[in-house]
Amino acid sequence: MQELDLVIRGGTVVTAADTARADVGIRDGKIVVVGLDLPQGKREIDATGLKVMPGGIDSHVHLAQPAFGGPAMADGFESGTRSAIAGGNTTVVPFALQARGASLRQSVQDYHKEAEGQSYCDYGFHLILTDPTPAVLGQELPALVAAGYTSLKVFMTYEDMVLNDRELLEVFDAAGELGALVMVHCEGYDAIRFMTEKLEKAGKVAPYYHAVSRPQSVEREAAHRAISHAELTGVPIMIVHVSGREAMEQIRWAQNRGLKIMGETCTQYISLTADDLKGLNMDDTGSKYVCSPPPRDTESWDAIWNGIKTGVFQTFSSDHCPFFFEGEMGKQNPKARTSFKWVPNGIPGVAVRMPVLWSEGVAKGRITENQFVALSSTNHARIYGLTNKGSIAPGFDADIVLWNPERKITITQSMMHHGADYTPWEGFEVTGWPQTTILRGEVVMQDGEILGRKEGGKFLPRTLSPLAGRGSGAAMD
Ligand code: URP
Ligand code: ZN
Ligand code: ZN
């Protein structure tokens, strides 16, 4: 056998399928052999006592997204992907957001400029469609899907992004034709506006009322509507960032009816609650936790775990969407202090996703380590067409996290390596922590130290999702 560049020796290999004591041999950035008693490599890593797992793939992160007049994001590609590798990830899939009236193709080019030479890990792009004109759906989208941007997100809320039902149907239909996968943000725009105006009139403007303005019924209604549109058009969809029982049960109901509806949930929905948004006044810390959908309650955590264990959810993501807390551009900016309505939505979490899922899931006996790998890596690769990613087997990219399952850590901001000035998980205790992150055979993070280069990540054009594409829609005769 030709000499191996790197041998990871003595660890326990964990994939989505199984677990085995085995060594991993790597050459030219690829896994070439998984077996016992491998020959000496040019370089060796002793993984005794560690789990050798596929590097995390976080298919829902926001980096360098423009502010539309609001505060700028706290992470561009450099700090966001640095934080990703600190947390055991080797691939992220951020969004290329089309501003209304702008060309989708131009938006993608703009994001490439942000990412080029600035990424510590590999990356692809989902598209965000805010203006699905006939030209966008008929010309730009087909070209972009063919070029490897094989998934797109649409929003059922947010002033600058919401699509009406007709537009949703047009997008689903076009995506179905092209075989692109549609991700849907399910919260009802009118219901949120109605609640927001009522709350503001009553003087209820503190960050906590963000959660009150968009209760689970608002998410459930939108999820049901999206599912109905998916059924009508015969197009599979992924309902993203599901926060609790109500939307989860909609997805389960659809799946039981044989519809191809997939579900994603996130770290905040098993570890934060709406109480975290409570503060005595507008200067308090509640805005640190403002994201959409909002974190709910511990009963919702149980429902989310039920959905994870029973396969309602295929992916577990961070929805990393970082803003500063302090300062004129932070979540506490002067306008945001007048109403929760102006607090930028989103929280930083790409670095804590894997540790919190392991700790709350595997360490507490809720899921197996194989389910952990599926939820944090393999399913993201399969669903979003990331070939050669998400497993430990010959031919796959040598994207690996060496995981210490016993390590107890109290999370602090200094471990996050992100651009934001806080972490919502400050003080949160976890068991299980990424010790080493390896990107295509190179150690990029070791014991919290970033060793990779910001030019080290590469763009990943993606294949069509095997789970997307049109099935049979409503009868036409
Ligand atoms: O609050 C959130 N989640 N902001 C990010 C944008 C989104 O809806 O995913
Ligand atoms: Zn969303
Ligand atoms: Zn998001």
Side-chain angles (χ1 to χ4, degrees):
M1 185 195 292
Q2 202 187 325
E3 194 182 12
L4 295 164
D5 295 335
L6 172 65
V7 176
I8 300 169
R9 200 178 290 283
T12 301
V13 173
V14 184
T15 69
D18 38 35
T19 302
R21 233 295 298 129
D23 306 330
V24 180
I26 294 161
R27 194 185 310 118
D28 297 331
K30 296 266 182 201
I31 296 167
V32 291
V33 57
V34 180
L36 292 172
D37 305 322
L38 297 189
Q40 180 83 16
K42 286 183 197 152
R43 190 168 172 211
E44 298 259 328
I45 294 179
D46 179 8
T48 307
L50 303 179
K51 308 286 182 185
V52 181
M53 303 191 288
I57 300 175
D58 193 338
S59 59
H60 191 150
V61 304
H62 303 264
L63 302 175
Q65 221 163 270
F68 293 141
M73 271 193 170
D75 276 324
F77 278 77
E78 182 178 351
S79 58
T81 56
R82 190 175 64 210
S83 187
I85 62 170
N89 302 283
T90 47
T91 297
V92 295
V93 191
F95 296 85
L97 164 66
Q98 175 203 25
R100 287 236 168 97
S103 140
L104 187 57
R105 196 192 310 253
Q106 185 59 49
S107 317
V108 171
Q109 280 166 11
D110 293 346
Y111 278 91
H112 271 290
K113 280 198 203 111
E114 294 283 342
E116 186 76 42
Q118 300 293 325
S119 189
Y120 284 91
C121 65
D122 288 351
Y123 59 95
F125 286 112
H126 307 291
L127 309 168
I128 290 180
L129 263 67
T130 61
D131 202 359
T133 60
V136 167
L137 294 184
Q139 289 154 33
E140 294 198 311
L141 186 62
L144 287 166
V145 171
Y149 309 87
T150 55
S151 48
L152 58 98
K153 185 176 176 194
V154 288
F155 287 80
M156 298 173 79
T157 190
Y158 291 140
E159 205 65 44
D160 299 313
M161 306 207 245
V162 60
L163 302 189
N164 63 34
D165 287 321
R166 175 64 194 254
E167 291 170 322
L168 289 169
L169 286 160
E170 299 285 1
V171 173
F172 286 18
D173 204 39
E177 212 52 43
L178 298 167
L181 184 59
V182 185
M183 308 158 79
V184 192
H185 179 127
C186 294
E187 289 186 298
Y189 172 74
D190 282 319
I192 293 169
R193 279 210 342 176
F194 170 78
M195 284 299 290
T196 300
E197 281 167 23
K198 272 187 83 141
L199 286 162
E200 284 183 333
K201 268 193 201 128
K204 298 185 171 181
V205 289
Y208 171 68
Y209 294 103
H210 169 77
V212 179
S213 75
R214 44 222 303 158
Q216 285 203 55
S217 59
V218 168
E219 190 184 0
R220 178 195 66 212
E221 178 277 328
H224 187 86
R225 196 152 33 100
I227 289 165
S228 303
H229 295 347
E231 181 173 3
L232 194 69
T233 50
V235 171
I237 58 169
M238 165 70 82
I239 298 189
V240 294
H241 47 50
V242 174
S243 71
R245 179 178 301 284
E246 304 266 329
M248 186 276 283
E249 285 181 345
Q250 292 299 310
I251 300 173
R252 172 178 284 157
W253 169 81
Q255 290 169 346
N256 287 341
R257 296 179 69 224
L259 297 173
K260 282 206 222 160
I261 309 294
M262 288 165 271
E264 173 203 77
T265 191
C266 308
T267 322
Q268 45 274 35
Y269 306 124
I270 58 163
S271 56
L272 303 178
T273 70
D275 282 352
D276 289 314
L277 277 75
K278 278 196 174 140
L280 298 177
N281 56 57
M282 299 302 290
D283 291 345
D284 222 311
T285 57
S287 63
K288 284 184 176 177
Y289 302 87
V290 167
C291 60
S292 294
R296 308 291 183 186
D297 51 23
T298 55
E299 195 278 328
S300 299
W301 296 357
D302 293 342
I304 293 293
W305 279 115
N306 182 278
I308 288 175
K309 287 194 247 185
T310 57
V312 173
F313 299 117
Q314 291 70 45
T315 56
F316 186 89
S317 304
S318 66
D319 194 4
H320 180 84
C321 186
F323 294 95
F324 294 102
F325 177 59
E326 304 282 356
E328 293 294 291
M329 293 301 280
K331 279 183 171 253
Q332 295 223 80
N333 71 73
K335 196 169 168 190
R337 286 186 196 199
T338 65
S339 168
F340 64 85
K341 181 171 77 182
W342 301 114
V343 176
N345 282 207
I347 58 177
V350 72
V352 301
R353 176 185 74 117
M354 295 180 81
V356 172
L357 180 62
W358 180 279
S359 188
E360 293 298 306
V362 183
K364 294 193 175 168
R366 291 178 169 121
I367 55 171
T368 66
E369 54 195 17
N370 310 100
Q371 284 173 301
F372 171 83
V373 171
L375 288 158
S376 65
S377 180
T378 311
N379 291 353
H380 300 255
R382 299 298 157 268
I383 289 171
Y384 292 109
L386 290 159
T387 41
N388 304 328
K389 300 283 189 192
S391 192
I392 308 246
F396 279 77
D397 283 359
D399 292 352
I400 293 170
V401 61
L402 303 183
W403 194 267
N404 184 338
E406 312 298 339
R407 185 92 193 268
K408 290 192 189 306
I409 292 277
T410 302
I411 292 172
T412 63
Q413 159 72 356
S414 65
M415 298 166 184
M416 298 293 99
H417 295 276
H418 58 200
D421 53 357
Y422 77 99
T423 167
W425 284 273
E426 187 74 40
F428 195 92
E429 290 176 4
V430 291
T431 301
W433 195 251
Q435 182 162 310
T436 309
T437 309
I438 298 170
L439 174 67
R440 286 179 275 105
E442 298 293 327
V443 174
V444 292
M445 187 281 291
Q446 176 70 49
D447 294 316
E449 195 185 340
I450 303 298
L451 302 174
R453 297 166 302 117
K454 67 182 169 67
E455 308 81 20
K458 67 172 190 193
F459 170 65
L460 304 169
R462 293 175 292 115
T463 58
L464 290 180
S465 171
L467 298 159
R470 193 192 295 284
S472 54
M476 295 278 284
D477 47 21

